[in-house]
Amino acid sequence: MAVLIVVQRLGELVLAQNNRRWALACGAQEYGAKHYWLFFILHAGWLAGWIIEGQVAGGLSAVWPVWLGLFIGAQLLRYWCIVSLGRCWNTRILVIPGEQCVKRGPYRLIRHPNYVAVATELAAVPLLFGAIQTAIIATICNAVLLLFVRIPEEERALEQMKDPR
């Protein structure tokens, strides 16, 4: 599972970098670059945490099919987000002048569906392996970063799409 997630994240980072180059070439402005590194710390700590705690716990959770189902659901939502945003998908906050907010796919249903996918994954994967403390800590850290740092910054950036001053 760890190898799958690492390969997946590396592939997403390559895609994000390619999309970032394209967006910057289109005149994009980046927002929130100063907090970007915090998400690397969160995800690296989460990965190490559930691997170590899962080893100590000694195996799969008794209700592992539930957690695996949530993980798979989170992956489906994540890739629905990526496909829906196309070249505009990124791990960074980039606004291209003149672009409209995407309102297709899961974005027509909720404002930040990718964050739902990530939050689900951050809880489900550790719980799959009985790493309860990692699930709790990662969920709390992610919620704090999203609610008090990332989403407010993203909302400010999205406002620029409506009212570029």
Side-chain angles (χ1 to χ4, degrees), residues 59-73:
L60 293 174
S61 161
V63 292
W64 69 266
V66 172
W67 306 125
L68 181 60
L70 283 171
F71 170 74
I72 292 168

Side-chain angles (χ1 to χ4, degrees), residues 9 50-51 53 75 85 91 95-96 98-99 110 112 120 136:
R9 288 300 175 279
W50 67 260
I51 290 171
E53 188 181 354
Q75 300 315 297
L85 289 175
T91 55
V95 174
I96 301 170
E99 281 288 315
I110 58 175
H112 300 284
T120 301
I136 292 168

Side-chain angles (χ1 to χ4, degrees), residues 65-88:
V66 172
W67 306 125
L68 181 60
L70 283 171
F71 170 74
I72 292 168
Q75 300 315 297
L76 292 173
L77 179 57
R78 175 196 317 279
Y79 288 105
W80 189 18
C81 292
I82 291 171
V83 168
S84 296
L85 289 175
R87 293 185 90 176
C88 292

Side-chain angles (χ1 to χ4, degrees), residues 20 29-40 90-95 115 145 148-158 160:
R20 181 174 186 255
Q29 180 178 351
E30 184 170 351
Y31 294 80
K34 290 181 181 175
H35 74 255
Y36 188 67
W37 65 275
L38 293 170
F39 287 93
F40 279 91
N90 214 295
T91 55
R92 295 178 177 269
I93 303 170
L94 299 162
V95 174
Y115 299 147
L145 280 173
F148 297 106
V149 179
R150 180 67 175 214
I151 290 175
E153 187 70 30
E154 194 166 304
E155 290 298 323
R156 280 190 289 280
L158 291 172
Q160 293 299 308

